[in-house]
Structures are given as C-alpha cells and as structure tokens.
Amino acid sequence: MTTTQPEGPPSPRSAPAVADDGMEHFGYKPSLNRSIGKFASFAAGVSYISILTGTFQLFYFGFGTAGAAYLWSWPIVFVGQLAVALCFMELAAKYPIAGSVYNWAKILGSKFVGWFSGWMMLTASIVTIAAVVLALDSTLPRIWPGFRVIGSDDLSVTSPENAVLLGTVLVICTTVINAFGVKLMSMINSTGVFIELIAAVLIAIILAFNIERGPDVFFSTNGYGDGVSGGYLGAFLIASLASGYVMYGFDTASSLGEETNEPRRTAPKAILRAILASFVIGGAILVFAILAAPDLNDPLLAEKSGGLQYLVEQVMVSPLGTIFLICIVIAVFVCTLAVHTAAIRMSFAMARDNALPFGESLAKVHPRYQTPVVPAVTIGVLAIAILVININQPQIFTVLTSIAIIMIYIAYLLVTGPLLIQRFKGNWPPPDLKQGGFFTMGRWGLIVNLFAVVWGFLMALNLAWPREAVYGVGWYNAWGAFIYIGIIAAVGLLWYFTVGSRSMGVLKSHAAESRATPTAD
C-alpha cells in the first residue's frame, strides 16, 4: 500500500497557520495549477448554481404545483442556504482546498464523517450532471427543430430519448474540456457566466417592461392545493423543490481553492457573491415572468415542454426570444461544466487520501495539463450511464433532481453539524481568522450555524418525503429517495468497512515531506 499515515488532522483551533493556502493542515503537497483569479472563482460558484438553468428548468414544476405563490419559496430557500453559505465562508477562509466538503467534514468531525460526506457529494454531483444536461431538449429544439433528432417533431411533446442523446453529447464536451486543464475550463466557464449574467439581467428587464398584472397574484392560492394532502401548504412544500434545486453548489469556489490565487480571501467572497447574485437576478426573472405572462391559466406554463421558455417566447418578439434561448443553452453548458469540474475535484481530493477505489489512478495529475484526467473521464462515463439506464423513465428528471439535491443537503449537514459541535466545544472559529482579517461571523456564528443545521435537516426531509407528484406512482417510486439514496450509501459503506477504512491515508505521491511517514508497500 503506497500510502503515508499522518497523525490525523489537528483540531481547528490548534491547527498551524504558517502558510496561507489552507493545505498545510492536511499534509498535502501542491500538485494543481494555481491560476484562477477572482472573477473565475466567482464564476465557478455562479455557474454551478446557474441562474438561467435552474429558473428555466424547474419553473414548470413549481408553478404547476403551487401556482404563482410558489415564489415565496425562493426567499425562504435563500435564507436557509445563506446560513449554510456563511458557515462555508468561514471554512473557506481557513481551508480553501479541493474537495472542500470532504476535507472540512474530515477535519471537523472524523475520517468516517469526511468520507461519507464526500461520498454523498461526489455521487450527487454525478447525478446532478445527468439531471442538468436533460434541460437541453426543452431549449435546443425551440432554437432549431433539427435538434429534435429522435422523437416527435411536435415540440409540445417531450422526448426522453432525444434528451439523453443531447445530454450525452454535452457530457462528452465537458469531459474533454476538463481533461485539457483548468485554464481552458476557467476561460470557457468565465466567458459563459459573463454571457449568462448579462442575458439574465436583460431578460428580467424586458419582462419588467411587459407586465400584465399586479403583485396581488402572489398573495392568492388561486385554487392550487385543492385535493392535495395538507392543502396549499402541502403543494407549496412540494413546489419548493423548484427553488431548492437552484441555490446550492456555492462551495465550488472553495473546492477550486488549490487552483486559486489568494484563496483564503478570494473563496469566501466568491461564495457570498455567487449566492447573492443568483437570488437577486433569478428572483427578478421569476417575479417579472409571472407578472408578464399573457395568460397564467395557459396549461403549457405547467408543462415541461412549455414552462418558462414558452413564456419568454410569448412575451418577446421572435428574434430576441431566440437569442435568449441561446443564452439559456450557454448557461446549461457552463453549469454542466462547473458541476463536472466540482465532481472531479471531489474525486481527486478523496483519491489522494486513498478514500476511493483505484485511488492511485484517480489521484494522478497529468504532467502536461496539470489536471486529474482519469476522474474527468470516469465521471463523464458514469453520468452518461445514468442517462442511458433511465432513458425510458418518464419521471427521470424530477427523480434525478430530487435525489441529487437531497444527497447534497446530507453532505452539507455533515459539515455544518460537526462545525456546530466544534463551536460548542470552543474550537471554532480559530483565532487567526480575525487576527488575519479573514472572514468570520464572530458572535453571530453560533446562531447562524444552528439555523443552518435545522434548515438542512428539515429541507432534506421535505424533499425526500414520498410523493407521487415528484417520484411517480407505486411505492417503489414514491419512496424512491430513500431507496435509491439508501442503495448508493450502502454500496459506499460496504467498500468503506471492508476495504477503505483499513487502507485510507495520504498517498505518498501527494504527501508533504513534513507529514510523510514511509510505510512498506
């Protein structure tokens, strides 16, 4: 076994603060190319959240389930996720490191807590890639009917097969880009985010100039919730999935910390700016879209084949609507690229601890491109496999989306929970944050952290609750979140307790000399 066995991570308060890149606490030597600037770091978080992808992809679900008033879930989700983001900002100010969630949970909790958090986040990211790319089929054929390669020419009818085909092509593209290095990925991602932000602001402005009704529509149930268990509250809780799907992934800015300049100062600011920009711009689009819709009773607004894309086309003149649809495609592209990038960093971070099967191969950095090529290809293949396996499943999109979000909420809980325990023990925040002028919540930290834990647990439970509207008919579908996540967890735990727990340790090829303790092969 070519690993080194470090003494274990020090407590957050006692960890040394000699260097300024966060890596000195984990016993790793630098192996990635540090070339990401402030905007690129911000762009990584924004592209994972992806304002246009999230708002356009699930508007039909939220509006169709709870009507216009479902938009109240947007600020609710923002407040909850902002609490999580603030906790992550403190951690990023101390440990801006690849596989952020994994390494944070490891140093705050234990080796097992870190591993399980990383396993949930990694598998969720792969599932998220498969879920995001499905959005292409609801947008590309509207730009040019020739993109409907398989299935009906009637664009009001969805084509799962075509969605899988287009999604597969996109995954191949993001695999190639990520394999060729972080500079190429960062350049494409930053350009795409710049276009997305401009397009999102312009969409909100144009919709605002075409308002058809007043804001009273947000204060009425309009008949939604009738016949639903729990009435309108039950419908609203289901619809909150549409908002919950957007505002996560902001930790990507920190996961690229080993490739970012001045990471302890850059990453926290990037996290905050990413979630704030997403909330303000995305919220403006959703509010003005509902106020500008020609007919809120149009059934296509609640259909995946219609939704927000259909609404924008109705409001805007044809050439302008087409341009914005192209911008949505760009947003889907960079979102997929960012999620793929985050998944690669997570697999690399775990693999260099030998915390995944075939750790040596997954942790290998290409000498020319200075990026983990094997994880890029492996994750791309797995995402395509998920698409192909589910090609004939009508609930594929909502099921994949829900499962991915829940697993990410679990991964986040495995960070905010141990962080809260460290606060109660008096081990957090470490004094060097305030002394060095790095971000810290100070006396508000305990309250915000406690709220983040409660919020994460309740939201994960809400999303996982068995509902036909999300998971389809039949007990095996209704309980799909528990079943599928249980299977994913069981597979990982089987490996961990039979192989992983005995062999985990920093690989010699990645160990800092000061922490390396040679062991027999």
Side-chain angles (χ1 to χ4, degrees):
M1 183 65 64
T2 56
T3 63
T4 66
Q5 301 296 329
E7 308 84 22
S11 71
R13 180 165 288 276
S14 63
V18 177
D20 193 33
D21 57 13
M23 294 185 65
E24 68 277 8
H25 308 295
F26 298 91
Y28 305 134
K29 68 179 181 181
S31 56
L32 300 174
N33 182 23
R34 195 176 290 280
S35 60
I36 294 177
K38 293 179 180 179
F39 182 80
S41 179
F42 160 74
V46 169
S47 56
Y48 195 122
I49 297 174
S50 190
I51 302 164
L52 293 183
T53 303
T55 54
F56 277 79
Q57 202 169 15
L58 270 175
F59 172 84
Y60 83 95
F61 181 83
F63 181 82
T65 304
Y70 103 87
L71 250 68
W72 289 108
S73 65
W74 188 260
I76 292 173
V77 170
F78 167 71
V79 171
Q81 291 299 81
L82 178 62
V84 177
L86 288 168
C87 292
F88 284 8
M89 287 167 63
E90 276 193 335
L91 288 164
K94 181 70 176 177
Y95 313 119
I97 191 166
S100 51
V101 169
Y102 159 71
N103 276 307
W104 293 342
K106 180 178 69 177
I107 204 168
L108 294 169
S110 65
K111 181 175 72 173
F112 172 74
V113 172
W115 175 85
F116 193 65
S117 176
W119 178 249
M120 286 286 101
M121 194 71 187
L122 175 60
T123 51
S125 295
I126 297 172
V127 174
T128 298
I129 294 172
V132 169
V133 298
L134 292 173
L136 286 181
D137 186 59
S138 60
T139 306
L140 274 177
R142 293 182 178 279
I143 299 172
W144 179 52
F147 285 117
R148 180 59 67 83
V149 181
I150 307 172
S152 173
D153 293 333
D154 182 2
L155 299 185
S156 65
V157 179
T158 58
S159 174
E161 297 85 358
N162 197 64
V164 170
L165 175 62
L166 295 176
T168 298
V169 173
L170 177 51
V171 172
I172 292 172
C173 291
T174 60
T175 300
V176 172
I177 292 170
N178 272 301
F180 275 95
V182 71
K183 286 186 177 180
L184 177 62
M185 181 282 299
S186 178
M187 179 183 68
I188 293 174
N189 189 64
S190 295
T191 302
V193 167
F194 182 73
I195 294 172
E196 179 180 3
L197 288 173
I198 292 176
V201 171
L202 290 176
I203 289 173
I205 291 173
I206 293 173
L207 289 172
F209 276 100
N210 288 273
I211 289 177
E212 297 280 343
R213 63 189 55 82
D216 55 297
V217 69
F218 298 116
F219 297 91
S220 173
T221 62
N222 295 300
Y224 287 90
D226 294 345
V228 178
S229 177
Y232 187 77
L233 177 60
F236 181 82
L237 290 175
I238 297 173
S240 64
L241 167 64
S243 297
Y245 177 54
V246 182
M247 282 179 275
Y248 68 89
F250 36 79
D251 57 291
T252 305
S254 180
S255 200
L256 290 171
E258 291 180 38
E259 297 152 276
T260 302
N261 296 316
E262 296 186 277
R264 294 185 67 187
R265 300 189 187 278
T266 300
K269 293 178 182 178
I271 290 172
L272 181 61
R273 289 166 181 167
I275 193 170
L276 285 176
S278 301
F279 168 68
V280 173
I281 302 175
I285 290 174
L286 292 173
V287 168
F288 291 131
I290 288 177
L291 297 182
D295 181 11
L296 286 181
N297 294 317
D298 189 333
L300 275 176
L301 294 180
E303 296 291 337
K304 191 175 186 299
S305 56
L308 197 51
Q309 292 93 326
Y310 168 71
L311 191 156
V312 168
E313 284 182 311
Q314 282 190 309
V315 173
M316 300 180 187
V317 293
S318 182
L320 193 58
T322 301
I323 291 173
F324 284 129
L325 288 178
I326 293 173
C327 292
I328 295 169
V329 172
I330 293 173
V332 173
F333 179 87
V334 295
C335 179
T336 306
L337 181 62
V339 178
H340 200 151
T341 301
I344 292 168
R345 276 27 181 204
M346 178 60 72
S347 62
F348 167 77
M350 297 181 71
R352 68 181 170 187
D353 278 351
N354 210 31
L356 288 175
F358 312 107
E360 282 280 5
S361 297
L362 291 172
K364 189 174 295 183
V365 177
H366 194 279
R368 178 179 177 185
Y369 303 119
Q370 290 187 286
T371 191
V373 174
V374 175
V377 175
T378 303
I379 289 166
V381 170
L382 290 173
I384 292 172
I386 292 172
L387 288 173
V388 173
I389 290 172
N390 291 280
I391 195 168
N392 293 316
Q393 301 298 320
Q395 291 289 114
I396 175 176
F397 174 67
T398 49
V399 170
L400 286 179
T401 300
S402 296
I403 290 173
I405 297 172
I406 296 163
M407 288 195 293
I408 288 174
Y409 271 83
I410 292 172
Y412 284 2
L413 270 172
L414 292 173
V415 174
T416 57
L419 179 61
L420 182 62
I421 294 173
Q422 293 293 342
R423 288 188 194 277
F424 281 126
K425 290 181 177 180
N427 292 331
W428 194 270
D432 68 302
L433 290 184
K434 184 176 181 179
Q435 294 168 1
F438 299 107
F439 175 80
T440 177
M441 289 185 282
R443 61 182 181 180
W444 290 98
L446 181 61
I447 297 173
V448 173
N449 198 161
L450 179 60
F451 178 74
V453 171
V454 174
W455 157 259
F457 174 79
L458 293 178
M459 191 62 175
L461 183 62
N462 171 46
L463 294 172
W465 203 255
R467 301 182 179 103
E468 289 186 5
V470 178
Y471 300 104
V473 297
W475 67 268
Y476 46 88
N477 281 325
W479 291 88
F482 294 93
I483 294 172
Y484 299 136
I485 294 175
I487 292 173
I488 292 170
V491 169
L493 290 171
L494 179 64
W495 176 84
Y496 180 86
F497 286 113
T498 57
V499 179
S501 60
R502 296 196 300 270
S503 61
M504 283 177 62
V506 183
L507 296 173
K508 284 183 178 179
S509 56
H510 288 275
E513 292 183 7
S514 61
R515 293 290 297 275
T517 304
T519 59
D521 289 345

